[in-house]
Amino acid sequence: MTAATLIPAWVEGRLRPFDKLQAHRDGLRHKAVSVFLHAGGAILLQRRALGKYHTPGLWANTCCTHPHWDETAADCAERRLAEELGIHGVTPRAAGQVEYRADVGGGMIEHEVVDIFMAEVAPDLPLAPDPSEVMEVRWTPLPELQRDIALQPDRYTPWLRIYLADHLDILFGARPAASTGR
């Protein structure tokens, strides 16, 4: 087991390094990070690669992951933007924290305490998605996303549906701002 597969999870009431897949199989409460990039009124969404171990082929927010055991949430957000989408020079700002529990299929449960990060970027931001992580990206205005989720919820990850149903104030209350390195 490598340090990269160890995530911060609560075990017997204490935060400990724990294997990521086992945390999902056991439904353990664990730390996570979600990033939302905005361009005007649109959100950058990604469609998860078909090889992902859960929720393959579903649309999700810009990117999300679990921090490594010894990694800050902010460093994790920047790392994952680079790994999943090839985005460099964007420093998202912390927008809040949410907790949810959802069945993600395949006998796995996401019980996450999520640090949400946001940034306003240019719509022509250079993207270089890693095909092992992301099969497609698109910019989608919030009203269009809400309509599509209402009509076709199974096309979207459980966490994106939860974020939009329960946490719009964090995601869209105040327009995000960030350094874009330009």
Side-chain angles (χ1 to χ4, degrees):
M1 191 173 338
T2 68
T5 62
L6 296 177
I7 64 171
W10 283 269
V11 180
E12 298 174 0
R14 292 189 50 205
L15 194 60
R16 300 172 189 236
F18 204 83
D19 179 71
K20 177 175 70 170
L21 288 176
Q22 195 60 47
H24 291 137
R25 287 185 192 113
D26 294 348
L28 292 180
R29 185 173 181 248
H30 58 275
K31 289 188 175 189
V33 169
S34 279
V35 179
F36 287 80
L37 295 186
H38 296 257
I43 307 152
L44 180 62
L45 300 178
Q46 68 153 280
R47 189 167 172 218
R48 293 168 58 84
L50 294 178
K52 298 293 277 184
Y53 69 96
H54 72 67
T55 59
L58 298 185
W59 286 97
N61 52 294
T62 306
C63 69
C64 50
T65 193
H66 306 90
H68 299 157
W69 169 248
D70 59 353
E71 183 178 38
T72 68
D75 288 345
C76 176
E78 287 188 47
R79 171 180 58 83
R80 207 58 182 159
L81 282 171
E83 289 175 352
E84 289 190 18
L85 297 164
I87 295 173
H88 301 276
V90 172
T91 305
R93 71 163 177 84
Q97 191 176 76
V98 303
E99 183 171 344
Y100 74 89
R101 184 177 173 90
D103 184 332
V104 293
M108 294 191 205
I109 301 290
E110 286 278 22
H111 184 178
E112 296 191 331
V113 177
V114 186
D115 287 301
I116 304 288
F117 287 85
M118 303 177 69
E120 182 76 33
V121 299
D124 63 349
L125 177 72
L127 302 174
D130 175 349
S132 70
E133 297 284 349
V134 178
M135 63 186 296
E136 190 176 350
V137 295
R138 73 176 195 229
W139 289 101
T140 306
L142 177 59
E144 182 182 318
L145 177 59
Q146 290 172 308
R147 273 191 306 276
D148 199 44
I149 286 175
L151 293 172
Q152 304 178 82
D154 292 341
R155 293 183 64 208
Y156 296 88
T157 60
W159 60 89
L160 183 60
R161 296 189 318 253
I162 290 167
Y163 293 158
L164 292 180
D166 300 340
H167 304 292
L168 277 179
D169 56 329
I170 291 173
L171 302 175
F172 304 100
R175 186 54 67 204
S179 164
T180 59
R182 294 190 207 199

